[in-house]
Amino acid sequence: MPASSSRNREHALRGLLLGTPRKVLARFLPRAPLGIGQRGATGLDRRSLALDPDESHLAALARVAHAASRWSGAEPLAGWLDRQVDAALDDRMREEAHAVRDGAAVGEGPSVLRDLARPLEVGPEQLRAACAALNQRPTVERRAFVRVVLDREDPEDAARAEGVSLNALACRARDALLAVLEAFESTPWDRSTTSAWPAPAVREASNQTQDPRTPNDTQGNSDERS
């Protein structure tokens, strides 16, 4: 094996050991039974939550392991597992919110926040604050934000899928976007090393979600608050 290939392999292997114990464990953890990983991924998608999938998976495993002795068997296992996974996601949301309030720095090891912050040209702490702010919005707002801002879905198609008017969808997406922008603006970051946020795609989405609120549409934004 060439010396350069050997060095690259050693560098990659060392990278597996970087980060918090939770992240190291996530890299080595074998496929878990009971479909907890898939349940976690489904929960993140269903609730449109901005959380690290690996961290959420481990939190769900820990939650199930801790609660296993209390499962009586009377409740169907699938429903019980889904409830544990949802509770684990709630725990992760609270942990991230606390980290933002405490001003905790993102660790130096491998991190989804760091990986996503680079192309957006922001700091990982700013991205964490934005994700935490988004997670605190109502589910309907998060879904609208994901569809219109992140997935760049056609607004009319998204409105039909959500069963609301185009105006109502735009209001939901814009309310979530404003919360995200406020989180970025209120979190200190070194502007000398990054360019101004938001990224072009988000600026364009902001233009597309100008608030066309009407009296009827504002009623559609208060139905689901969690």
Side-chain angles (χ1 to χ4, degrees):
M1 178 182 294
S4 60
S5 298
S6 178
R7 285 194 299 270
N8 290 339
R9 176 175 173 77
E10 181 178 355
H11 180 74
L13 291 175
R14 287 184 177 183
L16 295 175
L17 301 176
L18 296 175
T20 64
R22 178 180 281 182
K23 285 190 172 294
V24 173
L25 178 61
R27 299 186 194 108
F28 288 99
L29 195 67
R31 184 180 299 273
L34 303 176
I36 294 175
Q38 183 57 50
R39 292 177 189 278
T42 299
L44 289 173
D45 183 64
R46 171 174 50 82
R47 298 173 62 179
S48 296
L49 292 172
L51 293 169
D52 184 326
D54 289 339
E55 295 273 357
S56 300
H57 181 200
L58 287 174
L61 287 173
R63 180 90 185 193
V64 169
H66 181 71
S69 63
R70 297 195 298 272
W71 180 55
S72 65
E75 179 182 1
L77 180 60
W80 182 83
L81 287 171
D82 286 339
R83 285 201 302 109
Q84 303 310 311
V85 169
D86 271 335
L89 296 181
D90 291 339
D91 290 342
R92 289 291 301 125
M93 289 170 61
R94 284 190 290 270
E95 289 171 5
E96 288 299 288
H98 289 158
V100 171
R101 284 199 297 270
D102 294 343
V106 175
E108 292 297 328
S111 166
V112 169
L113 288 171
R114 290 190 179 279
D115 291 343
L116 294 179
R118 290 189 188 99
L120 289 175
E121 299 180 316
V122 300
E125 287 76 24
Q126 286 68 48
L127 185 57
R128 170 187 267 171
C131 290
L134 178 62
N135 289 336
Q136 296 303 310
R137 302 304 302 173
T139 304
V140 291
E141 289 185 13
R142 294 198 302 267
R143 282 204 307 261
F145 179 87
V146 169
R147 285 181 179 276
V148 176
V149 178
L150 300 184
D151 291 345
R152 310 290 298 280
E153 187 174 341
D154 179 82
E156 292 186 356
D157 291 342
R160 281 194 293 270
E162 291 293 312
V164 298
S165 70
L166 182 59
N167 281 354
L169 181 82
C171 290
R172 293 174 179 180
R174 181 166 177 78
D175 287 346
L177 178 60
L178 289 175
V180 168
L181 290 171
E182 182 179 356
F184 267 98
E185 291 299 322
S186 62
T187 306
W189 55 295
D190 187 356
R191 293 175 183 268
S192 67
T193 60
T194 55
S195 63
W197 198 90
V202 180
R203 286 199 300 269
E204 180 181 340
S206 179
N207 293 334
Q208 292 176 351
T209 56
Q210 293 300 316
D211 192 351
R213 203 181 296 262
T214 65
N216 289 335
D217 291 324
T218 55
Q219 297 175 2
N221 201 30
S222 60
D223 51 351
E224 183 179 357
R225 303 303 299 179
S226 62

